[in-house]
Amino acid sequence: RTYRCRCHQKLPKFFSHFSLLLLHISILLLTSILIRNASYEKRKFYYFGLPSPGKCDIVIELTVKVNFTPERMEIRMNEKFFDLKKEKQDRMINAALKIFGMRGYSFASTDDIVKEAGISKGLLFHYFGSKLGLYSFIYDYSVRFMSMELKAAVDAKETNYFTLQKQMEAGRLQVLKNYPCMQLFLEKCNAEITPEALTAIEEKKRELTDLYDAFDAQADFSHLPAETDAVKLRHILRYTLKSLMEDRFLTGSFQAELLYQENVAYIEFL
């Protein structure tokens, strides 16, 4: 963003070149302090105009790249969002899941989200405060909802790895029936590199990772051939299922039930 300030006025004759220079340096120092305290990432100062005694005709241009650090940016969410009708809540959530899931945090536009949800931009910011506030809420909501369905679907006593995977897919199916893009969004978050977005979801990200690790620890691989590498097996299955989902969205052929059946077929094939 660029900010320009132009000053054109007569000054007392006793103002020398040196006095004017000190004045302008003082202005720039004050401005830099304000910008630094506001957590701007990059600061550039362009100084135009030559001072002369008795006259000041100066243009000061500040070009700054705004990047508020997550620690200073307040993430707030209006609890009255939950007073809305469930249909409208889900419409807004699904719109955010789709845009964030397909484009990531940096390239997602709130204009596209409100257009997808069929609401005004003012309403979106009324409930979530900012793009980061919306992103943080959507991730928190997704982790809670996904965790709930996975825990309900997975048998705590099951040890067969492939059976566990099919149970997890059954849990994801229940999620995708309500929120088709939730798994896509969560996968996109795993590849997120924007600092403020990463900081906003860090705690909840660990929570979901711990849940998946617990399911993996529950599995017994002793019935598999001795030469089987459990880590490679998990990676192969994960990347296969992730690629299947992404392909269905890219081709516009996503249907939750069909994706579930296809995923189960691949699990059984392995």
Side-chain angles (χ1 to χ4, degrees):
R1 296 178 184 177
T2 299
Y3 301 90
R4 294 181 181 87
C5 176
R6 185 180 185 89
C7 177
H8 178 78
Q9 63 182 31
K10 289 192 177 293
L11 297 174
K13 291 185 178 181
F14 58 81
F15 264 72
S16 64
H17 287 278
F18 182 71
S19 299
L20 285 170
L21 183 59
L22 287 178
L23 173 63
H24 300 149
I25 290 175
S26 299
I27 293 172
L28 290 179
L29 286 175
L30 178 60
T31 307
S32 68
I33 291 171
L34 292 173
I35 289 175
R36 184 162 57 250
N37 289 339
S39 298
Y40 283 79
E41 180 184 71
K42 190 174 182 182
R43 306 171 190 88
K44 290 183 180 178
F45 303 98
Y46 298 92
Y47 195 81
F48 300 94
L50 294 174
S52 60
K55 183 175 71 172
C56 177
D57 192 0
I58 303 299
V59 176
I60 299 173
E61 182 176 301
L62 309 179
T63 300
V64 293
K65 179 180 179 183
V66 183
N67 185 21
F68 288 99
T69 59
E71 293 80 8
R72 292 180 180 270
M73 179 171 285
E74 180 184 2
I75 300 176
R76 66 180 182 85
M77 187 265 175
N78 191 333
E79 294 295 332
K80 289 185 178 180
F81 171 75
F82 295 108
D83 293 335
L84 295 173
K85 291 183 179 179
K86 189 66 167 62
E87 181 275 332
K88 191 168 187 177
Q89 290 182 39
D90 285 348
R91 185 152 41 89
M92 294 170 69
I93 291 171
N94 275 320
L97 287 170
K98 180 178 179 180
I99 302 302
F100 282 131
M102 298 185 74
R103 302 178 189 174
Y105 178 77
S106 292
F107 296 102
S109 166
T110 51
D111 288 335
D112 292 333
I113 292 174
V114 298
K115 183 178 179 181
E116 182 75 23
I119 60 172
S120 69
K121 198 169 184 177
L123 187 63
L124 184 75
F125 285 100
H126 171 70
Y127 288 117
F128 302 105
S130 65
K131 176 181 170 181
L132 185 61
L134 174 63
Y135 184 82
S136 178
F137 166 78
I138 292 298
Y139 189 82
D140 180 81
Y141 187 90
S142 298
V143 169
R144 290 173 183 271
F145 197 86
M146 181 67 73
S147 298
M148 178 185 68
E149 292 295 347
L150 288 175
K151 289 175 181 178
V154 174
D155 184 351
K157 297 181 180 180
E158 182 60 61
T159 59
N160 183 283
Y161 175 71
F162 298 107
T163 302
L164 283 169
Q165 292 302 311
K166 286 190 283 187
Q167 290 178 353
M168 290 173 68
E169 287 305 309
R172 290 193 184 101
L173 172 61
Q174 298 307 312
V175 171
L176 299 183
K177 284 180 178 179
N178 293 284
Y179 304 105
C181 296
M182 186 169 282
Q183 181 63 26
L184 180 70
F185 168 71
L186 289 171
E187 292 288 354
K188 196 72 172 181
C189 290
N190 288 333
E192 186 57 66
I193 60 173
T194 307
E196 58 261 39
L198 286 173
T199 302
I201 66 175
E202 182 179 7
E203 184 177 345
K204 281 295 179 181
K205 195 172 185 179
R206 288 198 299 268
E207 182 179 318
L208 194 58
T209 300
D210 289 345
L211 179 61
Y212 287 135
D213 288 344
F215 289 147
D216 284 341
Q218 188 176 321
D220 179 10
F221 293 91
S222 61
H223 65 285
L224 297 176
E227 65 275 12
T228 301
D229 187 322
V231 174
K232 289 183 179 179
L233 176 62
R234 287 197 295 265
H235 285 174
I236 289 172
L237 185 57
R238 178 189 171 189
Y239 294 137
T240 298
L241 300 183
K242 179 174 178 288
S243 297
L244 285 171
M245 177 189 62
E246 290 176 346
D247 181 68
R248 295 299 168 266
F249 277 104
L250 287 173
T251 58
S253 59
F254 172 81
Q255 292 185 42
E257 190 71 45
L258 293 179
L259 180 63
Y260 166 73
Q261 294 174 6
E262 192 170 16
N263 286 347
V264 169
Y266 272 89
I267 294 171
E268 292 177 344
F269 176 77
L270 291 174

